[in-house]
Amino acid sequence: MIRCMAIDDEPLALQQIVTYINKVPFLELVAQCQSALEARQYLEQDTVDAIFCDINMPDLNGMDFVKSLATPPLIVFTTAYAEYAVEGFKVNAVDYLLKPFGLQDFQRAANRLKERSLPPTPPKEESSSDTDDTIFLKTEYRIVKVSISNIRYIEAMSEYLKVYIEGDSKPIITLLSMKKMEERLPEYFMRIHRSYIVNLKMIQEVNKNRIIMDKDTYLPIGDMYKDAFQQYLDTKFLGK
């Protein structure tokens, strides 16, 4: 429930707001006041979640009243003067009801109050099913869709790359830099040589300074990349 206060110096206008609040299931009227000064006294003793507040009132107008609150609740302004609208939103008002307004307009404002009072939705954790596992590569006159997890390794060839795919006898040749490719690949890919990026999940064997992908494919480990690759091996190695 949203605990509400209604403030209006005109008795009929105040009664209308009270009636409308009682018609909305998620609103609870806890106080009704005929001046901002009376409302301030109430707030010194208790708190509310939202205030429906008239602007044009004697002694202290609604706008100045809201600005004077150290921690104002959610505010919906009600007034017969349209020129207050811009100033109302400057104080982060949820809505602005221009008199005379009906139940439908009031319900709209109430719904906005409800939206603003809900706790923020935590960001959704990305699951493996949500992860985009595809890239598109331009080769010759075609654009080819590639599943990243099916890439075995990538070889640099001047300004081009050879992308070797699991199950394909020929690589995809595309005009692309190694740096650009590295930025797009997930963490299970590693640069092992100035000319090679390898899918760590598809390594079959490591023999001295070579990675063996299969019986016909041996990839060199460059001096600049030995330490990083060894650190990776250390996290996976079982034995003495």
Side-chain angles (χ1 to χ4, degrees):
M1 296 289 284
I2 300 174
R3 290 165 46 84
C4 299
M5 170 187 283
I7 311 171
D8 202 306
D9 64 309
E10 298 177 9
L12 290 178
L14 181 61
Q15 185 56 49
Q16 181 191 42
I17 296 171
V18 169
T19 300
Y20 286 166
I21 288 174
N22 290 331
K23 287 181 180 291
V24 180
F26 54 83
L27 298 183
E28 178 188 3
L29 180 69
V30 295
Q32 49 181 304
C33 305
Q34 288 190 267
S35 73
L37 296 177
E38 182 185 348
R40 179 183 284 173
Q41 291 176 354
Y42 179 91
L43 293 176
E44 289 174 356
Q45 305 297 324
D46 203 352
T47 60
V48 297
D49 302 316
I51 297 176
F52 290 87
C53 185
D54 185 28
I55 293 178
N56 230 24
M57 294 186 290
D59 298 326
L60 179 63
N61 71 50
M63 194 71 66
D64 290 338
F65 164 67
V66 170
K67 290 177 181 178
S68 72
L69 299 176
T71 54
L74 298 173
I75 303 294
V76 175
F77 283 118
T78 63
T79 184
Y81 301 92
E83 61 266 25
Y84 287 114
V86 174
E87 191 177 356
F89 288 113
K90 283 183 180 178
V91 295
N92 201 29
V94 174
D95 209 343
Y96 181 96
L97 291 172
L98 187 62
K99 298 177 182 179
F101 53 86
L103 180 58
Q104 186 175 356
D105 294 325
F106 185 88
Q107 182 71 61
R108 180 202 67 215
N111 288 337
R112 289 181 178 175
L113 278 177
K114 185 178 182 181
E115 290 172 6
R116 288 276 290 271
S117 64
L118 292 173
T121 304
K124 181 182 177 183
E125 292 187 7
E126 190 178 70
S127 66
S128 58
S129 61
D130 295 327
T131 305
D132 185 3
D133 184 48
T134 58
I135 55 175
F136 287 87
L137 299 175
K138 187 174 182 180
T139 176
E140 297 176 337
Y141 301 104
R142 300 178 298 137
I143 296 177
V144 182
K145 183 180 179 181
V146 176
S147 174
I148 294 174
S149 58
N150 287 338
I151 297 175
R152 299 178 64 232
Y153 65 97
I154 298 154
E155 180 183 1
M157 185 181 64
S158 186
E159 296 179 346
Y160 292 82
L161 297 182
K162 288 183 177 180
V163 182
Y164 292 83
I165 308 296
E166 181 76 9
D168 290 350
S169 57
K170 293 183 179 180
I172 296 171
I173 299 176
T174 185
L175 180 62
L176 196 65
S177 69
M178 286 287 268
K179 184 176 184 299
K180 193 74 173 178
M181 180 61 85
E182 271 189 290
E183 290 173 352
R184 180 62 182 85
L185 294 173
E187 61 183 10
Y188 57 86
F189 282 83
M190 180 178 285
R191 184 89 171 259
I192 59 161
H193 189 277
R194 63 189 301 271
S195 298
Y196 292 100
I197 297 173
V198 65
N199 185 337
L200 298 170
K201 294 181 179 181
M202 294 195 179
I203 295 175
Q204 290 190 4
E205 189 176 329
V206 180
N207 189 334
K208 296 182 180 178
N209 292 328
R210 297 187 304 175
I211 289 174
I212 301 172
M213 303 298 291
D214 56 50
K215 63 183 180 68
D216 299 318
T217 308
Y218 299 78
L219 306 181
I221 303 172
D223 291 339
M224 288 179 57
Y225 304 92
K226 283 181 182 178
D227 290 345
F229 184 70
Q230 186 60 52
Q231 288 177 14
Y232 164 74
L233 284 183
D234 290 344
T235 65
K236 301 294 183 180
F237 186 73
L238 294 180
K240 296 182 179 179

